[in-house]
Amino acid sequence: MANKFQFKQFAVDQQQCAMRINTDGVLLGASAASDKVAMGSMLDIGTGTGVIALMLAQRFEQATVVAVEIDALAAETAKQNLENSPFKDRLELIHSDIFHWNPVVKFDLIVSNPPFYINSLHNPDPRKKVAKHTDEVFFKGLLEFAALHLSEKGLFELILPSELTQLMIEEATKLSLFLRRNMAIQSFDDSEFIRNILRFERIPGQLESEVFTIYQERGVYSDAYKKLLKPFFLAF
């Protein structure tokens, strides 16, 4: 993939980022808080290139978006991407480990495309290891952070491999964060689910569930995928 990815309203340089633009990130950026017409303060944890923060800023024209990134080189690149966008006045980049950062505001939306592969072999590249590998302690910490910094009616949304969803649901419930939306993602109509986008809220209620299919056939995106990404991708 090229170092610079051109979207309809912004461009993303990803040259110094261990984790580049991927399907997980753009699905989360395009679908988070999808039934909300307005949001105030937003937070993207582990922003990488900054693409999710940029997508949220495009979708929610009145929102301010804070993007946090632990990797120094990625943070530098993301900062430039945010500053070069038409939404720069509503975007802020924080280079920090979220567990050592204490924001002074509550957020109406917190999103994360977190590192994963619990109990898998570590990547030999140290930067990719940080970006793609983590453990249960991290996920529990991520939930605790969200529980502490969400506004009263705030949403916490993240995308995960399907095998990790039950762990997150159980741990979130312990913190009085309740699953309210579950988008199960599959490559094809007859494929197993590979990812889930989960939404947690402080207030329990009816669970909204849906299935999202990426491809109509090999090499051909589904109508649902094209509709979701049409506001962003030049190809659509």
Side-chain angles (χ1 to χ4, degrees), residues 156-199:
F156 174 45
E157 300 203 32
L158 73 167
I159 185 165
L160 291 170
S162 295
E163 59 267 26
L164 297 183
T165 57
Q166 192 57 40
L167 168 69
M168 290 300 285
I169 293 168
E170 292 172 359
E171 293 299 326
T173 303
K174 296 176 185 178
L175 297 167
S176 296
L177 291 175
F178 303 99
L179 184 66
R180 296 293 302 274
R181 183 169 182 250
N182 184 352
M183 178 191 287
I185 299 167
Q186 57 185 176
S187 294
F188 302 96
D189 279 332
D190 57 352
S191 300
E192 295 182 358
F193 296 120
I194 53 174
R195 298 285 188 271
N196 288 70
I197 295 179
L198 307 178
R199 174 191 292 175

Side-chain angles (χ1 to χ4, degrees), residues 10-101:
F10 57 86
V12 174
D13 180 2
Q14 50 188 354
Q15 185 171 1
Q16 299 190 89
C17 297
M19 289 301 293
R20 298 194 165 202
I21 294 170
N22 55 50
T23 301
D24 289 3
V26 297
L27 286 179
L28 181 62
S31 67
S34 59
D35 55 347
K36 308 298 180 184
V37 295
M39 301 290 283
S41 55
M42 299 182 169
L43 173 65
D44 176 22
I45 297 174
T47 197
T49 62
V51 64
I52 295 175
L54 287 161
M55 294 175 77
L56 292 173
Q58 176 181 323
R59 290 176 53 211
F60 297 94
E61 297 180 356
Q62 303 303 316
T64 58
V65 187
V66 178
V68 179
E69 174 57 48
I70 190 173
D71 182 273
L73 291 176
E76 180 183 338
T77 299
K79 183 176 182 180
Q80 291 301 313
N81 288 333
L82 302 190
E83 290 179 349
N84 290 336
S85 79
F87 327 114
K88 61 182 180 181
D89 293 340
R90 298 185 287 110
L91 291 162
E92 179 182 6
L93 189 285
I94 304 291
H95 173 214
S96 179
D97 179 339
I98 62 163
F99 303 126
H100 298 147
W101 177 60

